[in-house]
Each structure stands twice: as C-alpha cells, then as structure tokens.
Amino acid sequence: MAKVTTRLNVAPVPPDEIFALNHAFGIDTHPQKVSLGVGVYRTDDGKPWPLPVVQKAEKELEAASDAFRHEYTAIEGDAPFLPMARDLMFGFEGKPSEEEAKARIATVQTVAGTGANHLGALFLAHHMKPRTVWLSNPSWANHMTIWELAGIPRKTYPYYHASTRAFDFDGMMSSLENDAEEGDVVLLHACAHNPTGLDPNKEQWIAIAELCERKKLFPFFDSAYQGFASGSVEEDAWAVRYFFTAKPDMEMCVAQSFSKNFGLYGDRVGAFHYVTNRASSSLRDVVVNNLCHLIRGEFSMGPRAGTAIVKKVLSDEALVKEWHADLKVMSSRIRSMREALYAELVRLQTPGTWEHIVQQNGMFSYTGLTLKQVYALKDQYHIYLLKSGRASISGLSKKNVAYVAQAIDDVVRNVN
Ligand SMILES: Cc1ncc(COP(=O)(O)O)c(C=O)c1O
C-alpha cells in the first residue's frame, strides 16, 4: 500500500496566553480562585455585567422586530452606524464648519477592535508598504501577531521603565527620533495602555504628535477603551482628537473597538478610520473602496446585531446619557478596586512600592511581580494573572481583595 503523506507543513504555534489562562481558571475547582487574566469587566460578585443601557436597547430592538434585522449590510458596514462611530471617536458636534474635517475620514465597519487592527495593517501593507511598524515594549500581544500576519517587519520602542514602574517617555522619544524612518508606522494606544495602564500626559502626546509630523511617521491609534478608562468618552479620545485637529497635514488611522465600552465582547463591533491629510481628502472614497475590496475578500461585511445596539444607543440622547452613567459605574468600580488593593498592601507593609497600582489607568495593572511570583500565585493561591505580571483589576472584588493582597504579600516576601 502506498504511504499516505500530507502536503501540509505545519508546526505548533504557542497557544494564546490569555485564552489558555482563562481555560485553566475555568477548570480550577478551588473555592477561592480569582481570575485576573482576561480583560473583561466583572461585577463585585465576579459576574459579567450586560450594561443596563444595552439591555434596554435590546428590548426596544426586539419589540420593533425589524424584518431587515438579519439581512446583509453594505460591504463597508451598516450605513447609519458609520458616522456615529466616527463622531464618537473624533468628537464632531454637528457644526457645518466640521464638514471639511469629516471629509478627511474614511470609515468602515470591522469585526471589533481586533478586526480593525487587522484590516488597517492589511490595508497599509498593500497600499503604503511601510518598512517597519513600531510597537510599544510591551504591548497587547496580539499586535505582534496581527502585524506579523500582515508581513510587516516589527520593531519596538521602549515604553515601560521597570525600576520606576513608570511610562518611559524619554526612551520612547529617543528611540523613535533616532531609529524610526520616514514612512514607518507607529502604533499608539489611544488610552488605557494594555498591558501597563500607563498613558502619556497631554504635553507628552503633543510632543509625540510633533515628532510624528516632523519625521513623517504614520500614527496608527488603537482605541479599545474609550470611556471605559476614565469614565469620559471625551477624555479618553483626547489624543486621537488632538492629532486629528492639530495636525491636519498628517495622515493617520484609528482602530476602534466597542467591546469594552459597551460590554459587547462577543458581538464583535468595531470600526476602522483612515484619515487622509487635508490636501488629499479627495482620496477618501477610493480608500473606502479599497478597504471594501479587502473586507469582501475576507468576511464580506461586519456583523449586524451588536452594531444595531450601539446604533440604538448613540442615536438617542437619553440613552447616551444612560450609557455615560454605565461607563462611570465600570470605571469607578475599577478605580475603587485599585485603591482597595493598594490600601491592603500598605496595611500589610508588603515590601516594595505599590503607588503604581493607583497611578495606572484602565482595566490593567502592570504589578511588577516576577514570573516566579506569578506562578506561585497560581499554584499556591489559585490567583491567575499573565506571566508579565499584568493583572486585570476588574477581577478584584470587595470579597477577594484582602485574599489577593495577602497572597501577593506572601509571594513578594518568600518567592524571588
Ligand atoms: C489594546 C487592545 N486593542 C484591541 C483590543 C481588541 O478588542 P476586541 O477585538 O475584543 O474589540 C483589545 C482587547 O483586549 C486591546 O486590549
């Protein structure tokens, strides 16, 4: 019998750390287990929190029973959703003078924030062919994968100062100043940097924008936490809006996710915005047209159901107010958990400094715990966080924060 062979050439790739950790947590039967891995919002009872405003919108949509609700949309996505997503990101208020600025933005619907990052990378790989994309060190691990798959060489700029546990602004600036070249892409987290929770301040953002403009670098914003980080959609969009309005001669793009700020994780709602410079806004339609070409070949169009919810909320002033209140609930609980963890560590006189836990922003804290300490937390205390020491603060609650602090205290004292 002839030997059966395969033409496949596959080698195992490492499993995604976050999803593997989530699985390990799921099958752990310890009663005090704590998940500080995956970046999803949880209530003080450790449960998911479908936003009240989302539940209201769902009921209204169900009652309306629109016969078109399962139909195909256009390739670029749900037409009324697109300007809503754009205006949320860039902050238009409906003034006629804004028309010229809007004309610079090509918007399409994507498969959430990941899909927006991917589509953007693919689009640039085809139509700009950057020599290098610069990612922060560290960054969201999926950025590496996305740009690797797009075939663009990756380099990193310093972002985190391990000894001070602070944002390394000088390191970032000198690396980009000395090593980045005209046409390179610079990936920037719009707010709530993942994994460090450290963002540039406004002065620093201004300097970053100046550097990008002067060196002709292409800013690629990833906006996954608008409104979720500070509780204010304006505040969290400040950097994107500053680049857009203060640097109209610069091209840039934004990958926008609605997963965290609407709690629509599995619904995959997102948008990609390519911003032309003011001299090339006539290119906007051809940019949309080329984005549609890529979308058609990959997934034909973004999904409808979650977009319908976002659209319902954003088109109704009263619901927008409720949404803003929901954002405050989530961001305030996370802030209060940061404070509670910090207070416990201070009370226990845990060796080291812990102010960074309250100084960092958004869902994550880069705790500074070592790999061995992370493993000890998992093996001895059933507390799950990423190998880098990143902890998702939303997994903390009034009930488990003392337990987690005690465990950290123990591993910091006893595991090196
Ligand atoms: C920095 C960053 N970008 C993008 C995303 C993508 O989110 P999603 O694809 O769920 O919208 C995430 C989610 O964790 C993130 O942290």
Side-chain angles (χ1 to χ4, degrees), residues 53-352:
V53 73
V54 165
Q55 297 192 56
K56 201 184 240 186
E58 276 173 321
K59 278 201 190 107
E60 290 181 21
L61 288 167
E62 203 175 34
S65 189
D66 177 7
F68 286 84
R69 66 190 180 282
H70 298 300
E71 293 297 290
Y72 289 128
T73 62
I75 295 171
E76 63 265 39
D78 183 295
F81 166 77
L82 301 176
M84 286 180 200
R86 179 199 63 195
D87 294 358
L88 177 66
M89 192 71 255
F90 294 90
F92 298 117
E93 287 155 4
K95 293 184 219 125
S97 57
E98 289 168 339
E99 288 314 309
E100 213 176 295
K102 285 182 188 169
R104 294 174 51 207
I105 308 174
T107 299
V108 292
Q109 193 185 322
T110 58
V111 183
T114 307
N117 274 279
H118 165 70
L119 183 70
L122 197 65
F123 177 73
L124 296 185
H126 277 272
H127 301 291
M128 204 174 264
K129 303 192 189 331
R131 253 191 302 238
T132 304
V133 57
W134 290 86
L135 306 174
S136 61
N137 180 18
S139 195
W140 183 45
N142 211 13
H143 283 147
M144 277 285 177
T145 308
I146 287 168
W147 287 91
E148 179 200 329
L149 294 176
I152 304 298
R154 296 150 320 275
K155 286 188 185 157
T156 59
Y157 57 84
Y159 194 83
Y160 178 70
H161 215 286
S163 58
T164 56
R165 294 181 184 168
F167 167 45
D168 185 2
F169 174 66
D170 294 339
M172 170 179 180
M173 293 301 275
S174 69
S175 166
L176 293 176
E177 181 71 62
N178 298 325
D179 301 327
E181 291 175 29
E182 181 173 339
D184 285 357
V185 173
V186 182
L187 202 132
L188 301 164
H189 297 227
C191 68
H193 182 270
N194 177 3
T196 65
L198 296 164
D199 293 324
N201 62 31
K202 288 179 183 162
E203 248 170 62
Q204 292 168 332
W205 273 126
I206 292 169
I208 296 166
E210 236 101 80
L211 179 107
C212 288
E213 186 180 49
R214 183 166 46 76
K215 291 211 65 176
K216 297 192 171 55
L217 308 178
F218 182 92
F220 189 126
F221 276 101
D222 184 3
S223 174
Y225 298 91
Q226 189 187 357
F228 190 97
S230 68
S232 154
V233 293
E234 274 77 37
E235 195 56 27
D236 291 347
W238 192 89
V240 169
R241 293 178 186 180
Y242 176 79
F243 274 59
F244 175 65
T245 50
K247 305 288 172 198
D249 294 327
M250 193 158 69
E251 292 174 288
M252 60 186 248
C253 68
V254 185
Q256 181 183 21
S257 166
F258 293 81
S259 302
K260 322 275 169 168
N261 54 8
F262 275 84
L264 290 170
Y265 305 95
D267 294 77
R268 316 308 292 140
V269 189
F272 175 71
H273 311 276
Y274 185 91
V275 182
T276 69
N277 62 40
R278 66 180 152 186
S280 347
S281 61
S282 60
L283 279 181
R284 183 188 62 173
D285 291 349
V286 75
V287 170
V288 171
N289 163 256
N290 277 273
L291 288 167
C292 284
H293 183 63
L294 298 173
I295 291 171
R296 184 65 170 141
E298 291 219 327
F299 56 98
S300 273
M301 69 209 54
R304 230 184 213 280
T307 315
I309 295 170
V310 170
K311 210 169 50 168
K312 184 95 200 151
V313 173
L314 293 182
S315 58
D316 180 324
E317 247 178 71
L319 292 182
V320 168
K321 269 204 183 132
E322 288 181 35
W323 176 49
H324 289 172
D326 291 348
L327 285 170
K328 290 244 154 53
V329 168
M330 295 192 286
S331 54
S332 318
R333 199 188 87 72
I334 288 188
R335 180 126 300 277
S336 73
M337 281 303 114
R338 285 185 182 282
E339 282 158 12
L341 179 62
Y342 173 67
E344 276 297 306
L345 292 169
V346 170
R347 190 183 65 75
L348 294 166
Q349 300 185 343
T350 307

